[in-house]
Amino acid sequence: MNLIGNGMLALLRHPEQAARLAARDAGPGLLTTAVEELLRYDSPVRDATFRCTAEPIDLHGRTIGAGEIVSLLIGSANRDEERFADPDRLDLGRTPNDHLAFGYGPHFCIGAGLARLEGAVAFPLLLNRLGRVELAKPADELPWRPARVMRGLAALPVVRR
């Protein structure tokens, strides 16, 4: 749900990318990379759950002691300029795109395949069926669901043009 809402907001704010995805000649390759980029660009999961260090860890010149609680910011990791070229730019054809929107390793999201499939169905369908739409209010006035871990819109009001 948050992938589709956040992704549609990103596409509405970047109409050139939306047009690229809606084009008849876009092909399945672009759809695959587009879903991954929309996951990276505004991840539906903002923060990973808290973790507790088992032993001291040196990280960027600082030490996190054993037994300390840390929270990993997925949204921040997905905008890491050391990992992604021009990370604040939405590029539906971005490759490689090794984002962390679904976590990693033993904490990888069990629903990742379903979410990707839903995005692959929803984005082209919405872009083509809705036609030319725009945000009904400024993006900074949109309501977000109050949550620490998840990041998603409470509503995405649009108007047809």
Side-chain angles (χ1 to χ4, degrees):
M1 172 173 63
N2 291 339
L3 163 61
I4 295 167
N6 297 356
M8 284 304 297
L9 174 60
L11 291 169
L12 289 170
R13 294 180 78 186
H14 298 87
E16 74 290 348
Q17 292 295 308
R20 187 176 170 198
L21 185 58
R24 295 197 185 277
D25 62 348
L30 180 62
L31 182 56
T32 299
T33 60
V35 170
E36 296 306 314
E37 177 68 352
L38 292 167
L39 283 161
R40 181 202 69 83
Y41 187 77
D42 195 356
S43 300
V45 177
R46 183 183 63 187
D47 304 348
T49 55
F50 291 108
R51 301 286 189 264
C52 184
T53 56
E55 58 190 50
I57 299 170
D58 291 323
L59 186 64
H60 298 287
R62 300 184 83 180
T63 300
I64 301 170
E68 290 192 41
I69 295 173
V70 296
S71 179
L72 308 173
L73 303 177
I74 292 172
S76 179
N78 285 340
R79 295 288 185 102
D80 184 350
E81 58 277 342
E82 292 182 22
R83 186 79 170 157
F84 300 98
D86 200 5
D88 294 330
R89 181 175 55 91
L90 180 66
D91 175 6
L92 299 185
R94 185 184 298 269
T95 57
N97 194 342
D98 298 325
H99 61 77
L100 296 175
F102 292 122
Y104 184 78
H107 300 283
F108 189 78
C109 177
I110 194 169
L114 178 59
R116 285 179 167 123
L117 178 60
E118 289 172 342
V121 170
F123 293 124
L125 186 71
L126 287 168
L127 290 171
N128 290 312
R129 285 216 178 147
L130 292 175
R132 192 166 162 239
V133 296
E134 297 173 359
L135 289 173
K137 58 170 55 177
D140 61 351
E141 294 178 16
L142 294 174
W144 292 86
R145 285 189 186 91
R148 189 194 74 75
V149 174
M150 303 302 287
R151 175 172 165 74
L153 291 163
L156 183 59
V158 297
V159 293
R160 281 188 153 175
R161 297 286 176 209

